[in-house]
Amino acid sequence: MEILKLIESDHHIIQVKFMNVEKNSLFVGDIFQTISSMNVNIDMISEVMLEDEMRIDFTCSQDDQKNLDRALSLIRSKHPRMQIYQNRQVAKIKLESHEMKDEVGVAAMLFTLLGKHQIPLLQVTTSEVSISCVIPLEYVDLALSEIQNEYK
């Protein structure tokens, strides 16, 4: 495949996971309003709908750690049932190309390639022209190398 125009990585991120989130748009809106009010710039957001609740993951820059901690403290006090986890030992890799929207199998190739090297996918977001993955920091160089080899 020769469609890939951009491969980038960001080693300077925090992944935040919210567990036991109420399935209610106003509840979710309040969470993100609290984060926004502390001037934290969120990058990737993904959610998983479970039977009685949801899980929400997002990423932000490590530069926002102080403000993030203040926001999470407020969220914990307002929503004590939720479990909140942070992980700084992660990185984001991003594949991007406008040609991806017309190319079949890009995600399949990426996930298979990462799987062959036992690189865990901690979070994935996509658009028509990009795939972003959060992976453990220790695998970033291997992942980038293998992706670049695949897309010579």
Side-chain angles (χ1 to χ4, degrees), residues 35-132:
I35 295 167
S36 175
S37 74
M38 293 296 164
N39 204 33
V40 176
N41 188 10
I42 292 175
D43 183 22
M44 298 171 65
I45 301 174
S46 57
E47 68 176 58
V48 176
M49 298 298 261
L50 305 169
E51 181 112 2
D52 297 325
E53 62 201 27
M54 51 193 288
R55 174 181 142 185
I56 299 174
D57 298 354
F58 70 86
T59 61
C60 64
S61 171
Q62 289 182 10
D63 294 339
D64 288 332
Q65 182 73 68
K66 186 176 178 182
N67 291 342
L68 175 65
D69 288 343
R70 291 193 348 236
L72 296 181
S73 179
L74 284 172
I75 292 167
R76 279 187 182 99
S77 68
K78 289 177 13 179
H79 308 291
R81 186 175 92 73
M82 279 185 12
Q83 298 169 338
I84 304 172
Y85 304 95
Q86 292 185 54
N87 188 352
R88 292 172 57 110
Q89 298 303 309
V90 295
K92 177 179 77 169
I93 57 172
K94 181 177 180 181
L95 287 68
E96 185 173 11
S97 173
H98 288 288
E99 289 81 13
M100 285 175 77
K101 65 183 177 180
D102 298 318
E103 183 71 28
V104 174
V106 177
M109 180 286 308
L110 175 63
F111 300 152
T112 299
L113 183 66
L114 296 177
K116 282 182 188 176
H117 297 281
Q118 298 183 356
I119 299 172
L121 290 168
L122 304 176
Q123 183 179 354
V124 176
T125 60
T126 64
S127 74
E128 287 185 328
V129 296
S130 70
I131 302 173
S132 296

